[in-house]
Amino acid sequence: GPHMSYDASAIRVLKGLEGVRHRPAMYIGGTGVEGYHHLFKEILDNAVDEALAGYATEILVRLNEDGSLTVEDNGRGIPVDLMPEEGKPAVEVIYTTLHSGGKFEQGAYKVSGGLHGVGASVVNALSEWTVVEVFREGKHHRIAFSRGEVTEPLRVVGEAPRGKTGTRVTFKPDPEIFGNLRFDPSKIRARLREVAYLVAGLKLVFQDRQHGKEEVFLDKGGVASFAKALAEGEDLLYEKPFLIRGTHGEVEVEVGFLHTQGYNAEILTYANMIPTRDGGTHLTAFKSAYSRALNQYAKKAGLNKEKGPQPTGDDLLEGLYAVVSVKLPNPQFEGQTKGKLLNPEAGTAVGQVVYERLLEILEENPRIAKAVYEKALRAAQAREAARKARELV
């Protein structure tokens, strides 16, 4: 009643994964369609991290008849040995403890798109059931969970098929949390296509058992092919997209770009495979390095007639389709949705790599460089003419 005392007994301690079930939005952004598919992205990211680390070459994603989802990689397999301080196998700790996992050990993963060791346990907490199978050292191990609790302890269920290593995770999001939502194959395909571009040479297979379809995503051209795909349907200024790659400090930079004859421009940015929809240091640095290199080249090549309007940054970007992807050890994002990258070192790296390499590309391709710059000059003239017309009115 009204006279209840407010003391320690009234404060419920939300232990570990119980807290995740209590406030799922804090961990996956919401319990709607996006949050539902966020579970898939977390498990996929763990498999992709194994590919980025150089161990997995193929990832299979299967949408099962019962609405559960399977993600399998051919990497090393999650460790199954006992963790002495926990008295539990590593795979169990990773799936039942917040902030566990290889993302905290320096050296286990250099870069990671996963949620810093939160992903696996959060997915487990928010799933009606989860089964993890590990193929390692010739053995097939299996452990099962329900809503974050172990239901079948880790055991060896048989031999691994010859030479097979890797991890297979199957999970069914919990209707108690998500109601009657289901996986949307088109959302799964979109993320697989994106990852295939961002990790050139990684093979991703999608088996949709509900509709009896199978698709393979594999792209050797990486972000350059991605930029070209973005420009689909536009008149191109030249056919073959350019790829810039380089490392500065601990930051890996990859940029693919292509110019069209139109006015539209699109620059997609990623940090550790996470789409940064609100840009950040890498986008700002890209735009400025791009403009600096173009202006520098134009001056040197005598393309710039000093009289008349000078192209602004926006004029130079007109018709550009680009994908900027950075990979770095400790990404800092603004906002729960990770929309904006804050790391200054990502900006420094993009600025240097893009400026140096773009100057070389322009010098090696004078015809293209001239076409791009002259397009920007025309844009500047059009802008100036429009301004004059407005003033007359």
Side-chain angles (χ1 to χ4, degrees):
H3 303 296
M4 253 185 77
S5 66
Y6 182 63
D7 58 17
S9 64
I11 296 170
R12 193 150 146 256
V13 178
L14 291 173
K15 282 209 203 61
L17 298 188
E18 208 183 316
V20 177
R21 289 183 61 78
H22 198 66
R23 289 208 176 79
M26 267 177 62
Y27 297 89
I28 58 165
T31 52
V33 173
E34 286 308 310
Y36 195 89
H37 288 82
H38 193 97
L39 301 185
F40 151 64
K41 288 179 181 168
E42 284 295 335
I43 298 299
L44 177 68
D45 278 344
N46 289 344
V48 171
D49 286 339
E50 199 54 5
L52 288 176
Y55 298 102
T57 55
E58 191 168 328
I59 296 171
L60 167 72
V61 176
R62 191 170 63 233
L63 179 55
N64 302 305
E65 287 92 336
D66 63 359
S68 67
L69 194 73
T70 299
V71 177
E72 178 172 356
D73 66 62
N74 65 349
R76 294 166 291 185
I78 296 179
V80 289
D81 42 328
L82 281 183
M83 291 179 74
E85 65 278 15
E86 309 276 342
K88 294 174 182 166
V91 60
E92 179 182 330
V93 174
I94 287 167
Y95 272 84
T96 55
T97 316
L98 277 175
H99 302 294
S100 61
K103 313 296 157 62
F104 291 109
E105 295 300 320
Q106 274 303 301
Y109 286 102
K110 203 163 84 229
V111 297
S112 150
L115 255 185
H116 316 304
V118 175
S121 56
V122 166
V123 172
N124 191 12
L126 300 177
S127 292
E128 183 182 351
W129 54 264
T130 304
V131 173
V132 181
E133 296 167 87
V134 176
F135 301 91
R136 266 186 95 112
E137 283 126 37
K139 302 227 180 325
H140 177 182
H141 307 260
R142 175 190 157 104
I143 183 170
F145 309 88
S146 176
R147 305 188 166 101
E149 308 275 341
V150 177
T151 52
E152 292 171 37
L154 182 72
R155 63 194 178 96
V156 172
V157 293
E159 302 287 306
R162 194 190 160 140
K164 181 180 174 76
T165 62
T167 307
R168 178 192 296 149
V169 183
T170 305
F171 66 99
K172 188 161 194 298
D174 190 352
E176 286 179 13
I177 304 282
F178 298 101
N180 58 4
L181 289 173
R182 294 271 176 275
F183 282 111
D184 173 353
S186 68
K187 281 196 181 322
I188 293 173
R189 281 198 295 269
R191 179 61 179 161
L192 294 178
R193 181 174 298 117
E194 187 172 58
V195 169
Y197 282 131
L198 293 170
V199 188
L202 173 63
K203 181 179 182 188
L204 298 121
V205 180
F206 179 43
Q207 291 177 350
D208 179 353
R209 288 275 169 91
Q210 295 179 350
H211 303 92
K213 284 187 187 145
E214 177 167 318
E215 261 173 284
V216 175
F217 301 92
L218 168 70
D219 201 284
K220 295 200 165 61
V223 291
S225 305
F226 199 168
K228 185 152 189 180
L230 289 180
E232 201 181 332
E234 300 264 353
D235 293 329
L236 305 178
L237 206 54
Y238 50 88
E239 277 304 311
K240 196 174 169 337
F242 289 101
L243 178 64
I244 291 175
R245 300 182 71 160
T247 304
H248 180 268
E250 292 189 276
V251 184
E252 286 176 51
V253 178
E254 278 190 90
V255 177
F257 70 92
L258 184 72
H259 288 87
T260 66
Q261 302 188 30
Y263 305 108
N264 298 332
E266 189 173 2
I267 305 174
L268 292 189
T269 59
Y270 294 85
N272 291 5
M273 329 284 287
I274 298 162
T276 36
R277 291 196 179 80
D278 305 319
T281 51
H282 50 346
L283 177 61
T284 308
F286 170 76
K287 285 181 169 175
S288 114
Y290 170 86
S291 299
R292 258 177 47 230
L294 256 176
N295 282 326
Q296 170 87 7
Y297 175 82
K299 212 182 196 124
K300 204 172 132 184
L303 298 175
N304 188 343
K305 313 287 174 275
E306 286 303 325
K307 47 190 190 304
Q310 296 304 300
T312 62
D314 283 347
D315 297 327
L316 293 167
L317 289 165
E318 216 171 78
L320 174 76
Y321 283 78
V323 177
V324 178
S325 170
V326 294
K327 299 191 180 112
L328 69 166
N330 294 301
Q332 304 296 314
F333 297 97
E334 185 178 86
Q336 185 59 35
T337 52
K338 296 188 174 181
K340 190 173 190 181
L341 182 68
L342 301 176
N343 300 60
E345 72 274 22
T348 307
V350 169
Q352 271 201 287
V353 170
V354 171
Y355 179 71
E356 285 171 21
R357 186 70 193 101
L358 183 55
L359 263 181
E360 289 171 11
I361 287 174
L362 295 168
E363 278 161 14
E364 290 158 14
N365 300 276
R367 287 225 324 277
I368 287 176
K370 187 170 191 262
V372 169
Y373 193 78
E374 285 179 347
K375 183 177 192 304
L377 275 175
R378 286 196 301 277
Q381 284 155 1
R383 196 170 37 77
E384 184 62 13
R387 189 183 64 81
K388 284 193 172 137
R390 276 201 307 278
E391 280 177 7
L392 281 173
V393 169

